[in-house]
Amino acid sequence: RDTLRSEMVGLAPGETKERDMTWLDWTLGAAIAADGRTILFSETGEGGGAGYSVYIRKTDGSPAVRLGEGAARDLSLDGEWALAIQRTSSDPRLVAYPTRAGQMKVFKTEGLRVFGAAWVPDGKSVLIEAAEPGRGSRVFRLDVAGGKPRALTPEGYSMYRGTISPDGK
C-alpha cells in the first residue's frame, strides 16, 4: 500500500518560518498575489473531484475557499479574479472566478482547445495557449470585454509561468 500526496509550502510576508499551505490531498500552486498574502491553487486528487477544484487561500493559514471547478491558472494583478480551465465533455473552457462576491465569467474560445492562461497586467486581456483543430499550440491574446482571440505567435509556441513581463510588454 502506498499513499501519494502533493504539498504546498510557503513563507508568508513578515513570517520567519515556512507554513504548510496544503489543503486536501493533491494541492498544486498556481499563483501568488503581488503582496504575497493570497495564493491560488488547484486540488487535483480525490479531494478535488472529477473536474478538479479551484481554491484561494490567505497565507496566514486561514481556511481555503473553493471558487469552483477546474484547474487554477492565474490570479489577476488586483487579486479580484482567478483564471481557471474547466474540463468539459467537449472542449476545455476558460473561466474567471471572482475572488469575492460576483458571477463567474466564461470566455469565448470557440474552435480552440485551451491549455494555459495568464492575465496581462492591465487586467483587460488574457494570454492563452491554445490549439485550433488539427494544428499545433500557439499563444493568443483574448480581450476580457469580448471578441475573438488574436494569434500572437506561429504554431509550435507554448507559454509558461512568467511568460508575461510585469509591465505587460
Short mmCIF file of all heavy atoms in Angstrom, two decimals, residues 1 4 12 21 23 32-33 40-41 47 54 61 78 87-88 92-93 95 103 108 115 135 158 161 163 169:
data_model
loop_
_atom_site.label_atom_id
_atom_site.label_comp_id
_atom_site.label_asym_id
_atom_site.label_seq_id
_atom_site.Cartn_x
_atom_site.Cartn_y
_atom_site.Cartn_z
N ARG A 1 0.84 -1.18 0.00
CA ARG A 1 0.00 0.00 0.00
C ARG A 1 0.88 1.23 0.00
O ARG A 1 1.90 1.29 0.68
CB ARG A 1 -0.87 -0.02 1.25
CG ARG A 1 -1.65 1.22 1.40
CD ARG A 1 -2.57 1.16 2.57
NE ARG A 1 -3.20 2.46 2.53
CZ ARG A 1 -3.64 3.13 3.55
NH1 ARG A 1 -3.58 2.62 4.73
NH2 ARG A 1 -4.18 4.29 3.41
N LEU A 4 -0.06 8.64 -1.95
CA LEU A 4 0.60 9.76 -2.61
C LEU A 4 -0.07 11.05 -2.20
O LEU A 4 -1.27 11.10 -1.98
CB LEU A 4 0.53 9.59 -4.12
CG LEU A 4 1.21 8.34 -4.69
CD1 LEU A 4 0.96 8.26 -6.19
CD2 LEU A 4 2.69 8.35 -4.39
N ALA A 12 5.19 33.19 4.34
CA ALA A 12 4.31 34.35 4.23
C ALA A 12 5.07 35.62 4.58
O ALA A 12 6.04 35.59 5.36
CB ALA A 12 3.11 34.18 5.14
N MET A 21 0.85 24.99 3.34
CA MET A 21 -0.36 25.58 2.76
C MET A 21 -1.24 24.54 2.08
O MET A 21 -2.24 24.86 1.46
CB MET A 21 0.03 26.64 1.71
CG MET A 21 0.92 27.72 2.23
SD MET A 21 0.02 28.86 3.25
CE MET A 21 1.30 30.04 3.61
N TRP A 23 -4.01 21.91 1.21
CA TRP A 23 -5.39 21.90 1.66
C TRP A 23 -5.92 20.47 1.76
O TRP A 23 -6.28 20.02 2.83
CB TRP A 23 -6.26 22.75 0.75
CG TRP A 23 -7.65 22.92 1.26
CD1 TRP A 23 -8.80 22.56 0.64
CD2 TRP A 23 -8.04 23.48 2.52
NE1 TRP A 23 -9.88 22.86 1.43
CE2 TRP A 23 -9.44 23.43 2.60
CE3 TRP A 23 -7.35 24.02 3.60
CZ2 TRP A 23 -10.15 23.90 3.69
CZ3 TRP A 23 -8.07 24.48 4.68
CH2 TRP A 23 -9.45 24.43 4.72
N ILE A 32 0.56 33.51 -6.83
CA ILE A 32 0.66 34.22 -5.55
C ILE A 32 0.34 35.68 -5.83
O ILE A 32 0.86 36.26 -6.80
CB ILE A 32 2.08 34.11 -4.95
CG1 ILE A 32 2.46 32.64 -4.77
CG2 ILE A 32 2.17 34.87 -3.64
CD1 ILE A 32 3.91 32.44 -4.36
N ALA A 33 -0.49 36.29 -4.99
CA ALA A 33 -0.81 37.71 -5.15
C ALA A 33 0.46 38.55 -5.01
O ALA A 33 1.42 38.14 -4.36
CB ALA A 33 -1.84 38.13 -4.10
N LEU A 40 -3.42 31.14 -5.04
CA LEU A 40 -4.42 30.47 -5.86
C LEU A 40 -3.88 29.09 -6.14
O LEU A 40 -2.70 28.95 -6.49
CB LEU A 40 -4.62 31.24 -7.17
CG LEU A 40 -5.55 30.60 -8.20
CD1 LEU A 40 -7.00 30.64 -7.72
CD2 LEU A 40 -5.41 31.30 -9.54
N PHE A 41 -4.71 28.07 -6.00
CA PHE A 41 -4.24 26.72 -6.23
C PHE A 41 -5.37 25.80 -6.66
O PHE A 41 -6.54 26.15 -6.59
CB PHE A 41 -3.53 26.15 -4.99
CG PHE A 41 -4.41 26.01 -3.77
CD1 PHE A 41 -5.03 24.80 -3.47
CD2 PHE A 41 -4.60 27.08 -2.91
CE1 PHE A 41 -5.82 24.67 -2.34
CE2 PHE A 41 -5.38 26.95 -1.77
CZ PHE A 41 -5.99 25.74 -1.49
N GLY A 47 -9.75 14.67 -3.37
CA GLY A 47 -10.43 15.79 -2.72
C GLY A 47 -10.92 16.85 -3.68
O GLY A 47 -11.88 17.56 -3.40
N VAL A 54 -10.81 24.68 -7.84
CA VAL A 54 -10.00 25.89 -7.74
C VAL A 54 -10.24 26.51 -6.37
O VAL A 54 -11.39 26.68 -5.95
CB VAL A 54 -10.39 26.90 -8.85
CG1 VAL A 54 -9.60 28.19 -8.71
CG2 VAL A 54 -10.20 26.27 -10.22
N GLY A 61 -2.59 31.07 6.94
CA GLY A 61 -3.02 29.76 7.41
C GLY A 61 -4.52 29.63 7.57
O GLY A 61 -5.01 28.57 7.96
N ASP A 78 -4.85 42.70 -9.50
CA ASP A 78 -5.59 43.31 -8.40
C ASP A 78 -6.17 42.28 -7.43
O ASP A 78 -6.79 42.63 -6.43
CB ASP A 78 -6.70 44.22 -8.92
CG ASP A 78 -7.76 43.49 -9.74
OD1 ASP A 78 -7.74 42.23 -9.80
OD2 ASP A 78 -8.62 44.18 -10.33
N ARG A 87 -12.60 21.43 -17.46
CA ARG A 87 -12.65 20.32 -18.43
C ARG A 87 -14.11 19.96 -18.62
O ARG A 87 -14.79 19.59 -17.67
CB ARG A 87 -11.88 19.11 -17.92
CG ARG A 87 -10.45 19.40 -17.58
CD ARG A 87 -9.63 19.61 -18.82
NE ARG A 87 -8.26 19.97 -18.45
CZ ARG A 87 -7.53 20.81 -19.16
NH1 ARG A 87 -8.01 21.36 -20.22
NH2 ARG A 87 -6.31 21.09 -18.78
N THR A 88 -14.59 20.11 -19.82
CA THR A 88 -15.98 19.78 -20.12
C THR A 88 -16.02 18.53 -20.99
O THR A 88 -14.98 18.02 -21.40
CB THR A 88 -16.68 20.94 -20.87
OG1 THR A 88 -16.04 21.10 -22.15
CG2 THR A 88 -16.58 22.24 -20.09
N PRO A 92 -12.20 22.06 -23.35
CA PRO A 92 -11.97 22.82 -22.11
C PRO A 92 -12.44 24.26 -22.31
O PRO A 92 -12.38 24.78 -23.41
CB PRO A 92 -10.45 22.78 -21.93
CG PRO A 92 -9.98 21.67 -22.79
CD PRO A 92 -10.95 21.55 -23.91
N ARG A 93 -12.94 24.86 -21.25
CA ARG A 93 -13.34 26.26 -21.36
C ARG A 93 -12.61 27.10 -20.33
O ARG A 93 -12.34 26.65 -19.21
CB ARG A 93 -14.85 26.44 -21.28
CG ARG A 93 -15.46 26.19 -19.94
CD ARG A 93 -16.95 26.42 -20.03
NE ARG A 93 -17.53 26.36 -18.69
CZ ARG A 93 -18.74 26.72 -18.40
NH1 ARG A 93 -19.54 27.15 -19.33
NH2 ARG A 93 -19.18 26.64 -17.16
N VAL A 95 -12.43 30.15 -17.80
CA VAL A 95 -13.33 30.92 -16.95
C VAL A 95 -12.53 31.80 -16.01
O VAL A 95 -11.34 31.56 -15.77
CB VAL A 95 -14.28 30.01 -16.13
CG1 VAL A 95 -15.14 29.15 -17.05
CG2 VAL A 95 -13.52 29.16 -15.15
N GLN A 103 -20.24 37.02 -10.14
CA GLN A 103 -20.54 35.95 -11.06
C GLN A 103 -19.30 35.53 -11.86
O GLN A 103 -18.50 36.38 -12.25
CB GLN A 103 -21.63 36.38 -12.05
CG GLN A 103 -22.97 36.67 -11.40
CD GLN A 103 -23.59 35.41 -10.82
OE1 GLN A 103 -23.58 34.36 -11.45
NE2 GLN A 103 -24.12 35.51 -9.61
N LYS A 108 -15.08 33.40 -24.46
CA LYS A 108 -15.42 32.78 -25.75
C LYS A 108 -14.13 32.34 -26.44
O LYS A 108 -13.34 33.17 -26.87
CB LYS A 108 -16.21 33.75 -26.61
CG LYS A 108 -17.56 34.06 -26.02
CD LYS A 108 -18.36 34.96 -26.91
CE LYS A 108 -19.71 35.21 -26.23
NZ LYS A 108 -20.59 36.02 -27.02
N PHE A 115 -5.02 25.26 -23.27
CA PHE A 115 -4.10 24.52 -22.39
C PHE A 115 -3.60 25.36 -21.22
O PHE A 115 -3.33 24.84 -20.15
CB PHE A 115 -2.88 24.04 -23.18
CG PHE A 115 -3.21 23.23 -24.39
CD1 PHE A 115 -2.92 23.71 -25.64
CD2 PHE A 115 -3.83 22.00 -24.28
CE1 PHE A 115 -3.22 22.97 -26.78
CE2 PHE A 115 -4.14 21.25 -25.40
CZ PHE A 115 -3.84 21.75 -26.65
N ARG A 135 -4.13 21.48 -35.48
CA ARG A 135 -2.98 22.38 -35.54
C ARG A 135 -2.22 22.34 -34.24
O ARG A 135 -2.71 21.87 -33.22
CB ARG A 135 -3.47 23.81 -35.82
CG ARG A 135 -4.47 23.84 -36.94
CD ARG A 135 -4.35 24.74 -38.08
NE ARG A 135 -3.14 25.36 -38.42
CZ ARG A 135 -3.09 26.54 -39.00
NH1 ARG A 135 -4.20 27.21 -39.23
NH2 ARG A 135 -1.95 27.07 -39.36
N SER A 158 4.59 27.65 -26.89
CA SER A 158 3.91 27.38 -25.62
C SER A 158 4.19 28.54 -24.68
O SER A 158 5.10 29.33 -24.90
CB SER A 158 4.43 26.09 -24.99
OG SER A 158 4.17 25.00 -25.82
N ARG A 161 4.66 29.79 -16.81
CA ARG A 161 4.58 30.82 -15.79
C ARG A 161 5.70 31.82 -16.02
O ARG A 161 6.82 31.45 -16.32
CB ARG A 161 4.76 30.18 -14.42
CG ARG A 161 3.61 30.49 -13.53
CD ARG A 161 3.80 29.88 -12.18
NE ARG A 161 2.68 28.98 -11.99
CZ ARG A 161 2.71 27.87 -11.32
NH1 ARG A 161 3.81 27.48 -10.75
NH2 ARG A 161 1.65 27.14 -11.19
N THR A 163 5.59 34.06 -18.44
CA THR A 163 5.62 34.40 -19.86
C THR A 163 5.47 35.91 -20.05
O THR A 163 6.08 36.48 -20.94
CB THR A 163 4.49 33.67 -20.61
OG1 THR A 163 4.74 32.27 -20.55
CG2 THR A 163 4.40 34.10 -22.06
N LYS A 169 4.65 44.23 -21.43
CA LYS A 169 5.18 44.42 -22.78
C LYS A 169 5.86 43.16 -23.30
O LYS A 169 6.14 43.02 -24.43
CB LYS A 169 6.17 45.58 -22.79
CG LYS A 169 5.47 46.89 -22.50
CD LYS A 169 6.44 48.04 -22.54
CE LYS A 169 5.73 49.35 -22.22
NZ LYS A 169 6.63 50.47 -22.20
#
